[in-house]
């Protein structure tokens, strides 16, 4: 659930992992690549077209393929320690849930256990964190397809039988990586919807590689104002996103 300790203290020791990223060319995915490579991880970027990824690095492998083709994903996933899913389709639906189902099926076949999935603040039991504008205008009308897609994606993830974590970032804003965001704040309405920069969204995703305290949970993430802070000890270590 989301109402857990939320302020970073000392991060767990970094151990390089072999990670595959789905949605590597997107808004968050590009930051996952840059930060993950800088941290020493070996990363496979799975994409529809390798031309969409400009990053080059000795520890980066770019693989083209169809994310909906579970049997074809099995050999690609084999040998990886973890999977990060940051797929998107703008305001449309029909991509995130379907792709996550194929990825989870292939992971089970390939023997890969750790699954880290990005959905959105406001999905599932975090809906009370939305303001009326986001609840009814954005997710109720403009981003209705994406919102339903994220719901399906979360259900598939929870039922996968894998070692999953779902991260729920707030609405995207411009900004650099700070690490100064709240993790797992309560799903109660504040003065405005929480926001977060994609670079910090990526930071929290990569944090999960070394920190299992959010295992089988779905923490909210963002720079929060007007939301009560949890009283328990701090942890260490959006919107419908296009990627």
């Amino acid at each position: 659930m989301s109402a857990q300790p939320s302020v970073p203290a000392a991060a767990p020791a970094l151990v390089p992992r072999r990670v595959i990223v789905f949605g590597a060319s997107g808004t968050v995915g590009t930051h996952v690549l840059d930060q993950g490579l800088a941290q020493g991880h070996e990363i496979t970027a799975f994409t529809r077209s390798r031309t969409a990824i400009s990053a080059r690095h000795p520890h980066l492998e770019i693989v083209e393929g169809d994310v909906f083709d579970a049997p074809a994903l099995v050999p690609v996933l084999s040998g990886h320690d973890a999977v990060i899913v940051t797929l998107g389709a703008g305001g449309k639906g029909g991509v995130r849930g379907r792709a996550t189902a194929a990825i989870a099926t292939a992971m089970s076949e390939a023997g890969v256990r750790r699954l880290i999935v990005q959905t959105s603040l406001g999905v599932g039991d975090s809906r009370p964190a939305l303001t009326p504008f986001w609840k009814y205008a954005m997710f109720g009308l403009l981003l209705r397809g994406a919102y339903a897609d994220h719901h399906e994606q979360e259900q598939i993830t929870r039922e996968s039988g894998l070692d999953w974590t779902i991260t729920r970032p707030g609405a995207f804003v411009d900004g650099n990586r700070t690490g100064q965001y709240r993790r797992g704040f309560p799903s109660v309405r504040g003065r405005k919807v929480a926001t977060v920069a994609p670079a910090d969204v990526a930071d929290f995703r990569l944090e999960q590689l070394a920190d299992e305290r959010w295992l089988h949970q779905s923490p909210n993430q963002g720079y929060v104002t007007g939301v009560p802070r949890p009283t328990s000890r701090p942890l260490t270590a959006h919107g419908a996103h296009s990627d």
Side-chain angles (χ1 to χ4, degrees), residues 61-146:
E61 179 182 5
I62 302 173
V63 176
E64 285 185 338
D66 180 359
V67 72
F68 303 121
D69 188 347
L73 293 177
V74 175
V76 177
L77 285 162
S78 182
H80 286 83
D81 300 309
V83 175
I84 292 179
V85 179
T86 181
L87 292 163
K92 298 182 295 184
V95 173
R96 302 164 185 85
R98 182 181 164 205
T100 301
I103 293 166
T105 297
M107 287 178 66
S108 296
E109 291 292 324
V112 181
R113 298 290 308 166
R114 190 69 172 109
L115 174 62
I116 305 162
V117 174
Q118 173 191 319
T119 63
S120 173
L121 181 67
V123 176
D125 60 4
S126 69
R127 184 171 173 82
L130 298 178
T131 62
F133 173 76
W134 274 95
K135 191 177 294 184
Y136 302 113
M138 296 300 290
F139 284 149
L141 294 173
L142 298 176
L143 301 174
R144 187 173 183 175

Side-chain angles (χ1 to χ4, degrees), residues 28 85-87 96-97 100 116-124 126 139 146-147 149-155 157-158 165-170 172 201 205 218-220 238-243:
V28 173
V85 179
T86 181
L87 292 163
R96 302 164 185 85
T100 301
I116 305 162
V117 174
Q118 173 191 319
T119 63
S120 173
L121 181 67
V123 176
S126 69
F139 284 149
Y147 190 62
D149 205 10
H150 276 313
H151 272 283
E152 180 183 2
Q153 185 180 31
E154 288 204 358
Q155 181 177 356
T157 300
R158 295 175 188 279
T165 297
I166 296 169
T167 64
R168 292 170 169 168
F172 285 179
V201 177
R205 309 299 300 286
S218 44
N220 301 329
H238 149 265
H241 311 302
S242 60
D243 296 279

